[in-house]
Amino acid sequence: MKVKDVMTPDAKACWITESLADAAKAMWENDCGVLPVIKDGRRVVGLITDRDICMATAMHERNPVSISVEAVMTGEVFAVAPDDDIHQALKTMEEHRVRRLPVVDSEGELKGILSLNDIVLKAKEPNGKKAPQLAYADVVKTYKAICAHTSPLASAATAAK
């Protein structure tokens, strides 16, 4: 199964020059919690989440209209291509502990977004001898890896040894 068989095509995005208020409005209107940040056509240069917006607004004690997406976005983007295998995408999510991946072409232009929600809706239970292309167990394994955040105390204890 390929990423293009599972992803949400025509993903909403925001321009790098927009404000946090613009990004929040787009998230509200499109019922999503993340937006790829684009520039130069539809080339993905970052991501911004609803949490990023809330934290930046609180930490800067400023109106979200006066804070740019560029100032807050995550610039490190983990992405997949439409023709990538879905299991490779799950591995990328596990390794980087992310729930969503922009789907980009060879030039880095946005083609869609792949979320755990998309994957869960396509997963199937094993039925008989033939395993499904995308099993519930694959999704649970990925989700467990994403959720397995280490606490600061555990990290400090490991570092002290």
Side-chain angles (χ1 to χ4, degrees):
M1 184 176 289
K2 303 287 185 192
V3 166
K4 66 185 174 188
D5 301 324
V6 181
M7 72 181 201
T8 298
D10 304 319
K12 302 303 176 202
C14 65
W15 293 98
I16 195 167
T17 55
E18 291 185 70
S19 73
L20 295 188
D22 295 327
K25 182 178 179 190
M27 288 179 189
W28 179 261
E29 290 172 349
N30 295 287
D31 190 29
C32 60
V34 67
L35 292 172
V37 180
I38 57 174
K39 73 176 200 177
D40 302 332
R42 286 185 56 83
R43 189 170 57 86
V44 178
V45 295
L47 293 171
I48 191 161
T49 67
D50 48 6
R51 184 178 190 278
D52 295 332
I53 294 169
C54 290
M55 296 304 291
T57 302
M59 299 300 286
H60 295 291
E61 295 182 12
R62 290 178 26 211
N63 187 320
V65 171
S66 68
I67 304 172
S68 73
V69 165
E70 184 174 20
V72 176
M73 72 179 197
T74 301
E76 185 174 23
V77 178
F78 305 106
V80 290
D83 286 322
D84 287 350
D85 182 77
I86 194 65
H87 291 94
Q88 181 57 47
L90 287 169
K91 185 176 179 184
T92 299
M93 288 176 160
E94 285 178 35
E95 287 175 2
H96 301 290
R97 294 183 171 169
V98 295
R99 291 174 169 83
R100 307 165 194 102
L101 296 168
V103 181
V104 299
D105 64 15
S106 58
E107 284 79 44
E109 291 209 6
L110 184 64
K111 297 299 172 191
I113 196 150
L114 179 67
S115 71
L116 272 180
N117 290 9
D118 297 325
I119 295 167
V120 166
L121 293 172
K122 290 285 186 175
K124 306 250 186 256
E125 269 189 72
N127 187 5
K129 294 180 182 177
K130 187 177 178 189
Q133 289 183 12
L134 180 58
Y136 288 141
D138 300 324
V139 178
V140 170
K141 179 179 176 276
T142 299
Y143 194 63
K144 283 178 73 172
I146 292 168
C147 293
H149 297 290
T150 56
S151 71
L153 293 176
S155 297
T158 303
K161 288 183 181 179

